[in-house]
Amino acid sequence: MGYSVVAGAAGRLLFGYDSFGNVCGKKNSPVEGAPLSGQDMTLKKHVFFMNSCNLEVKDVRLGPTALCVSSCPEEQLDTLEDVQLFAHTSGSFLCVYSLNSFNYTQSPNAELLCPRLPVPPSKSFPLFNRCIPQTPECYSLFASVLINDVDTLHRILSGIMSGKDTILGLCILALALSLAMVFTFRFITTLLVHIFISLVILGLLFVCGVLWWLYYDYTNDLSIELDTEWENMKCVLGFAILSTVIMAVLLVLIFVLRKRIKLTVELFQVTNKAISSSPFLLFQPLWTFAILIFFWVLWVAVLLSLGTAGAAQVIEGGQVEYKPLLDIQCMWWYHLIGLIWTSEFILACQQMTIAGAVVTCYFNRNKNDPPDHPILSSLSILLCYHQGTVVKGSFLITVMRIPRTILMCICNALKEKQHRASSRCVFKCCNCCFWCLDKYLHHLNQNAYTTTAINGTDFCTSAKDAFKILSENSSHFTSVNWFGDFIIFLGKVLVVCFTVFGGLMAFNYNRALQVWAIPLLLVAFFAYLVAHSFLSVFETVLDALFLCFAVDLETNDGSSEKPYFMDQEFLSFVKRSNKLNNAKAQQDKNSSRNEEGTELRPIVR
């Protein structure tokens, strides 16, 4: 950040600049060799791109000239007379500075020095003061050339812009459904679980049925002529096949695990009792999400500021461009690692805070007198003593992410160069292995943070102790904990299903206008992200509770000298869980599983 302030060009980024080296909204110093530089642009605070609807790509850059103007044209200008009238009435000159506004309709060079007609209506972007075209075609073409992917991104951005109101409404729907899921898990009962699972099944059937019906409707629609309709039909077929596979897998799992519903309800009741001692745990995703958004915006601002740094160089036509410095081109690797590490650090702080609050409430002898402010206490302990633990855990995830990212880039490069399928298969297998290792490390880190909150040990010692404890006691609660996580995952699926169902109904009305498959996919991803952010609190509390139980089991025996810290409700849940494990162990011929099923008997009796 400090380097971006010193060597970067935040002024050009925030206020914008024209093609002649002038920063809009301020007085400028002249650039040698550029006669139109060094102008006073105090009253001209907006950047207007000429020919925004008729772009040409030159050396991966926008071809048209950029000017500083006092206001953006909010209505379409069809003739040079309209451009001249707009200049006289608003004081905003849309032609090159060297051409007087009175000569707009008379100069033989007007076609070269003025924007190509018609000039689309545009509005200033709220933060960066760029005049952005408002018609979907111009906007998508303008943005796609900026990102150097004219053909594909053109249609994607056009679809996103044309359905931006629908996308916003669906995102709000996903947020409301996520809050409803939190409320459902907070006051869960056996009846609610049955209703909840029924809604999940109904949602899966609805989404699959609607997708196959849409595909059938597309295939029987003889009026399909546009490329967008063909692309929508292909995407609908892919979505239908994928949703059908997911539905079949989830239905099989629901059928197999249906007998554990009652035990799962008791599990969530125990979890909710732990949350009730510190109800503000449910609001942890809000401040974590806010901090992440702030950091991501700051990261992007620094990245863009570094990207705009460079030395001014005069090119053909008296225009000015800025060549990036060599050291800045190498710094983005460091900046990328900082993005991954810091993001993981923020998420790890949330996990550590929740785990610390759960540990404080669990290891409290007087259950009728819960500790005061467990979340603030956990946060203060984290800030004072355990930041190194969180830094190490997040760095471990970062180290795993870097080779995985490199492998993904290599795989994409091989795909573009059409190398042999065997090479791509090897890289994909390696990427899958790194993905599995990444997921395992996330789980190990969470248990290490909980062990740190219990014992106050460093990260390596806590990770080793957590692995040992869980491996010795996994048979007692792994299956029940897994089914609890599965129910939480079904909650996320329910949010995504109903959000996608609403999106299918809304986007299908404009099937011939834009490609809506990508906007729908973005909506589904956002819905899952929001649902995961809120429901992950229950997952973290579950994992922390079971690790506390394992530590309680290791250190106490239930006698009057060493009583358990768990309350009677948790103890009764352990008894039922143990009976179920023993019943399954007796039916299994594997002797090792029989031995594991007897370890909890001293606790249950």
Side-chain angles (χ1 to χ4, degrees), residues 132-133 146 215 295 437 600:
I132 306 298
L146 281 177
Y215 177 71
F295 168 68
L437 182 60
L600 258 180

Side-chain angles (χ1 to χ4, degrees), residues 1 7 33 94 114 222 335 343 353 385 433 468 485 508 525 540:
M1 290 174 58
L94 304 183
C114 293
L222 300 179
H335 201 46
S343 300
T353 303
Y385 302 107
C433 293
K468 180 180 178 181
D485 292 338
N508 189 49
F525 174 75
T540 305

Side-chain angles (χ1 to χ4, degrees), residues 405-420 423-424 427:
T405 305
I406 295 175
L407 283 175
M408 291 177 63
C409 295
I410 295 176
C411 186
N412 292 331
L414 292 177
K415 185 184 299 183
E416 293 176 359
K417 295 182 179 180
Q418 297 182 351
H419 278 244
R420 290 186 303 176
S423 302
R424 295 197 301 269
F427 282 108

Side-chain angles (χ1 to χ4, degrees), residues 98-367:
S98 58
L99 181 62
N100 192 286
S101 61
F102 293 99
N103 298 328
Y104 282 1
T105 58
Q106 301 175 2
S107 175
N109 298 324
E111 293 185 0
L112 299 176
L113 301 179
C114 293
R116 187 174 301 178
L117 301 174
V119 179
S122 59
K123 290 184 179 180
S124 177
F125 191 72
L127 181 59
F128 297 113
N129 295 328
R130 269 65 165 178
C131 293
I132 306 298
Q134 292 302 294
T135 58
E137 295 81 8
C138 292
Y139 175 85
S140 58
L141 181 61
F142 176 77
S144 62
V145 174
L146 281 177
I147 312 176
N148 190 27
D149 192 0
V150 179
D151 296 329
T152 304
L153 197 61
H154 180 182
R155 294 188 292 270
I156 294 175
L157 290 177
S158 179
I160 293 176
M161 185 182 177
S162 62
K164 57 185 178 182
D165 295 334
T166 304
I167 293 174
L168 180 61
L170 291 173
C171 291
I172 296 175
L173 174 63
L175 179 62
L177 290 174
S178 299
L179 293 175
M181 285 295 100
V182 171
F183 181 81
T184 301
F185 284 119
R186 184 70 180 85
F187 302 99
I188 198 167
T189 61
T190 305
L191 178 62
L192 274 179
V193 171
H194 284 90
I195 295 175
F196 168 72
I197 294 179
S198 301
L199 287 176
V200 172
I201 297 174
L202 186 64
L204 290 171
L205 292 175
F206 257 116
V207 171
C208 290
V210 169
L211 284 171
W212 284 112
W213 172 77
L214 286 176
Y215 177 71
Y216 176 80
D217 191 38
Y218 271 113
T219 55
N220 289 275
D221 189 359
L222 300 179
S223 63
I224 291 182
E225 297 179 355
L226 299 177
D227 291 339
T228 55
E229 292 183 305
W230 283 105
E231 292 181 6
N232 286 335
M233 184 179 68
K234 294 178 182 177
C235 292
V236 165
L237 177 60
F239 287 159
I241 295 175
L242 180 63
S243 62
T244 303
V245 173
I246 294 176
M247 180 189 69
V249 173
L250 291 180
L251 289 180
V252 170
L253 289 175
I254 290 173
F255 178 78
V256 172
L257 301 174
R258 68 190 186 279
K259 295 182 179 180
R260 290 184 174 269
I261 291 179
K262 186 175 180 181
L263 200 62
T264 303
V265 172
E266 296 182 11
L267 173 64
F268 278 103
Q269 289 175 350
V270 171
T271 305
N272 288 324
K273 189 171 183 180
I275 294 177
S276 63
S277 59
S278 53
F280 286 101
L281 283 176
L282 296 176
F283 296 96
Q284 292 301 302
L286 295 178
W287 67 263
T288 304
F289 189 70
I291 294 176
L292 281 175
I293 290 296
F294 174 77
F295 168 68
W296 289 338
V297 170
L298 184 64
W299 186 88
V300 171
V302 173
L303 180 66
L304 295 178
S305 182
L306 289 173
T308 56
Q313 182 178 7
V314 181
I315 59 175
E316 182 182 358
Q319 296 187 2
V320 177
E321 70 173 6
Y322 294 88
K323 277 197 170 182
L325 304 177
L326 295 178
D327 49 356
I328 290 180
Q329 295 177 351
C330 301
M331 277 194 80
W332 77 274
W333 282 101
Y334 174 79
H335 201 46
L336 178 63
I337 294 175
L339 170 67
I340 301 174
W341 194 356
T342 309
S343 300
E344 292 295 335
F345 174 79
I346 295 172
L347 294 173
C349 286
Q350 172 182 313
Q351 296 175 347
M352 187 77 172
T353 303
I354 295 176
V358 173
V359 167
T360 302
C361 297
Y362 183 93
F363 291 101
N364 177 37
R365 288 295 184 187
N366 189 0
K367 302 299 181 182

Side-chain angles (χ1 to χ4, degrees), residues 20 80 86 89 91 112 167 169 184 246 253 269-270 309 340 372 399 481 498 557 564:
F20 307 99
L80 287 175
F86 176 75
T89 55
L112 299 176
I167 293 174
T184 301
I246 294 176
L253 289 175
Q269 289 175 350
V270 171
I340 301 174
D372 297 331
V399 170
N481 190 18
F498 279 91
D557 55 9
Y564 293 121

